[in-house]
Amino acid sequence: MQSKNWIGGEWMVPAGNEVTVVNPSRTAEEVGVVRFSDRSHVFAAEHAAREAQKKWSQMTGAARAEILYQMASVLEAHAEELARLASQEMGKQIGEMRGEVARGVSLLRYYAGEGMRANGSVIPSADTNVLQYTKRVPLGVVAVITPWNFPVAIPIWKIAPALICGNTVIWKPAENGSLTATRLAELFAETKLPAGVLNLVIGRGREVGSALTEEAAVDAVSFTGSSATGRQIAIACAGRNIKYQTEMGGKNAAVVLADADLDKVVPILLSGAFKSAGQKCTATSRIIVEKGIYQQLAERLQSAISSCVVGEALDPAAYLGPVASREQYEKVSRYVEMASEQAALVAQSPALAMTEQGFYFRPMIVEGVKATHALVQEEVFGPLAVLLPAEDFAEAVDLCNQTVYGLSASLFTRDLASAHRFLDVAQAGMVRVNQETAGVEYQAPFGGMKQSSSHTREQGQAALDFYTEIKTCAIKYAW
Ligand code: NAD
């Protein structure tokens, strides 16, 4: 397979150097080739999106919805093919990847429904014979910049609400999600989506991404990725006074109180920490435990972790696959080394049984480091979690909040008062009780506090707030 740009309804392969994509599950296998765009493709996409926006924004919500329903159907019909391609490109285990594509289908249908829903309010006027009301209007051309860890769902949870609100989109996917992005755009090209409404520009962040956020005349940027890139984008957009949203990193904590039902809790902790090989922004990377049950929980994790079998991404029996790329492998290796030198091992999954070479790690849980240690403070983005003891609920909450991030946090307890207290005081955008830190549903707002997010939310109805501007309208209909 070869990556391609889709600009103004035309397919083209940029002339940039060819980069071979290897399968992270078996690095001897080539999955396809990617050619990166230059800045000129960004400007071509900007022109196409601007032209298309005039007509697209004038179509009725119902007509735009019809196209989103078509996008959902074509994606559903090719779900298995796309899930397998993404698994081979970035290593997510096939069962999880199928779930991700299904979420994409649901998101398209959910936002299609918005084409027919009320989107304003009538506000009583103090004057006579005045009708005063609000309506939502599109922003214009939106740049969508996405990471590799959810190569289908994240683009769709930005593109679908942007389109239904009447915006057109320039999408720059992550470098190592380029093949999946190309195939997804090919599927959407089978619908009646007018030329230029959705444009795909394959490229590197530092060249194409920055041209999109710093130079192209876009009206908004929706970004998901690392905090370092997000900060750069926020600065650029603030300087140009265009709307932006940056969804960034996390260091999510699961707090386990002494009264928790450990039979139920242990599988949820493992799933939160190790599914997707720990490469979810909402992954559980700190497990904070009341001292009374610390030893008991550690022993249970030791025995349960044997079920976290590492395998090739396409192996349905694998609990997790490899990490996504050589770059990820090197980054996570540094933390694994740090853990083996500076922390004590609590639990680790069985030895790898693979014959193929790939970017694999055996999931591990460690203990014995201070709350200020890099393993407790930095986002690892791999299958490594840290266990921390807490004297009581109050200390557990302090530890939970002792991070620059604030994406997701969970509490495990049977006590309703502690549950509500935690939902009040945990500094995270998504707070959950007896639930994994990951797995927030698409119809609910998604986003973080502190350094995890830029004060907006994605998904659910919250996405409509980002992709529209509110106009206050007033008509004096009789003198
Ligand atoms: P990244 O920041 O390296 O890249 C994300 C995207 O930004 C890519 O498309 C990349 O090409 C582009 N980019 C890079 N430099 C750019 C620049 N200067 N200007 C414009 N665009 C640029 O992140 P990643 O490694 O792909 O993704 C992993 C990170 O994403 C993790 O930190 C993870 O926590 C975060 N993430 C957050 C959420 C969330 O919703 N909060 C969801 C998933 C992933």
Side-chain angles (χ1 to χ4, degrees):
M1 162 140 202
Q2 156 121 304
S3 72
K4 286 181 280 184
N5 284 349
W6 190 38
I7 298 175
E10 301 291 326
W11 292 97
M12 57 89 59
V13 179
N17 286 346
E18 202 172 273
V19 177
T20 303
V21 178
V22 299
N23 182 346
S25 295
R26 34 172 79 204
T27 48
E29 184 182 296
E30 293 180 4
V31 185
V33 291
V34 173
R35 281 179 187 273
F36 293 118
S37 311
D38 59 42
R39 291 164 62 256
S40 71
H41 301 107
V42 171
F43 301 120
E46 174 206 315
H47 178 73
R50 183 69 59 200
E51 279 303 301
Q53 208 262 333
K54 293 172 196 157
K55 276 199 184 149
W56 180 249
S57 62
Q58 283 164 19
M59 282 168 63
T60 61
R64 288 199 294 264
E66 191 47 47
I67 293 173
L68 264 73
Y69 283 124
Q70 289 171 8
M71 292 162 77
S73 297
V74 75
L75 178 57
E76 193 170 44
H78 293 85
E80 182 63 17
E81 174 208 336
L82 194 73
R84 290 180 75 85
L85 173 63
S87 283
Q88 288 167 290
E89 185 175 24
M90 48 64 75
K92 187 178 290 189
Q93 197 272 340
I94 186 66
E96 281 195 82
M97 203 51 238
R98 287 183 184 127
E100 184 182 335
V101 176
R103 186 182 179 117
V105 173
S106 301
L107 278 156
L108 283 160
R109 293 197 172 127
Y110 176 82
Y111 284 112
E114 290 307 319
M116 294 298 279
R117 280 197 198 106
N119 75 356
S121 59
V122 176
I123 301 155
S125 170
D127 198 356
T128 52
N129 300 328
V130 168
L131 171 64
Q132 178 169 254
Y133 64 98
T134 61
K135 64 175 173 182
R136 291 181 185 275
V137 296
L139 303 173
V141 176
V142 178
V144 162
I145 301 179
T146 53
W148 45 263
N149 66 333
F150 283 88
V152 175
I154 290 182
I156 291 178
W157 83 48
K158 295 175 186 294
I159 291 168
L163 294 186
I164 199 65
C165 291
N167 304 285
T168 53
V169 169
I170 305 171
W171 172 28
K172 195 216 84 64
E175 290 81 335
N176 62 335
S178 296
L179 298 177
T180 305
T182 300
R183 188 67 194 121
L184 186 59
E186 281 177 351
L187 295 177
F188 290 159
E190 290 179 19
T191 68
K192 292 205 162 67
L193 200 60
V197 170
L198 172 62
N199 304 276
L200 173 69
V201 183
I202 300 293
R204 294 198 186 278
R206 61 174 178 268
E207 188 174 8
V208 164
S210 60
L212 203 45
T213 54
E214 291 167 25
E215 297 176 66
V218 297
D219 300 292
V221 177
S222 178
F223 162 86
T224 298
S226 63
S227 297
T229 311
R231 251 191 308 275
Q232 244 175 294
I233 289 176
I235 291 167
C237 293
R240 305 171 73 192
N241 197 27
I242 59 171
K243 207 169 178 183
Y244 66 89
Q245 79 182 159
T246 51
E247 289 299 335
M248 303 172 283
K251 190 71 189 172
N252 313 292
V255 175
V256 187
L257 298 187
D259 70 345
D261 179 346
L262 294 190
D263 287 340
K264 299 262 172 24
V265 173
V266 166
I268 299 177
L269 293 177
L270 293 178
S271 166
F274 302 139
K275 283 284 182 182
S276 291
Q279 301 166 114
K280 288 183 192 172
C281 53
T282 48
T284 306
S285 57
R286 298 177 296 146
I287 302 172
I288 299 166
V289 193
E290 263 193 311
K291 276 189 181 152
I293 54 155
Y294 186 91
Q295 205 45 44
Q296 196 191 344
L297 182 66
E299 282 161 19
R300 281 179 181 242
L301 289 168
Q302 269 157 18
S303 73
I305 205 170
S306 60
S307 66
C308 298
V309 176
V310 183
E312 292 194 30
L314 289 180
D315 178 355
Y319 191 87
L320 67 153
V323 295
S325 60
R326 183 172 304 282
E327 198 185 356
Q328 264 302 104
Y329 186 77
E330 285 165 6
K331 186 184 152 213
V332 176
S333 292
R334 288 196 286 279
Y335 286 106
V336 169
E337 242 167 71
M338 189 188 287
S340 45
E341 284 162 11
Q342 298 170 31
L345 189 64
V346 175
Q348 189 161 31
S349 75
L352 303 174
M354 266 80 59
T355 48
E356 299 290 338
Q357 291 288 315
F359 300 129
Y360 297 106
F361 288 101
R362 291 167 57 200
M364 64 199 291
I365 300 174
V366 298
E367 64 180 356
V369 284
K370 288 202 173 125
T372 49
H373 193 280
L375 289 169
V376 188
Q377 291 300 323
E378 295 174 15
E379 186 184 46
V380 175
F381 229 53
L384 195 174
V386 187
L387 208 55
L388 296 160
E391 206 57 59
D392 52 19
F393 176 81
E395 196 194 359
V397 170
D398 284 348
L399 284 168
C400 173
N401 290 341
Q402 200 179 329
T403 162
V404 295
Y405 295 110
L407 195 55
S408 178
S410 290
L411 179 77
F412 293 90
T413 185
R414 294 185 225 219
D415 177 43
L416 200 54
S418 305
H420 280 289
R421 187 81 198 113
F422 184 78
L423 298 175
D424 280 343
V425 297
Q427 294 167 351
M430 294 169 290
V431 282
R432 299 156 71 76
V433 172
N434 296 327
Q435 300 223 309
E436 204 177 301
T437 53
V440 174
E441 297 178 26
Y442 64 83
Q443 70 277 29
F446 185 103
M449 293 165 73
K450 304 200 282 192
Q451 296 297 322
S452 289
S453 177
S454 57
H455 329 295
T456 64
R457 292 290 181 265
E458 299 202 273
Q459 303 193 73
Q461 297 293 294
L464 307 176
D465 293 333
F466 179 74
Y467 291 104
T468 57
E469 229 160 350
I470 287 180
K471 270 192 179 167
T472 304
C473 310
I475 308 171
K476 179 99 174 163
Y477 51 85
W479 298 102

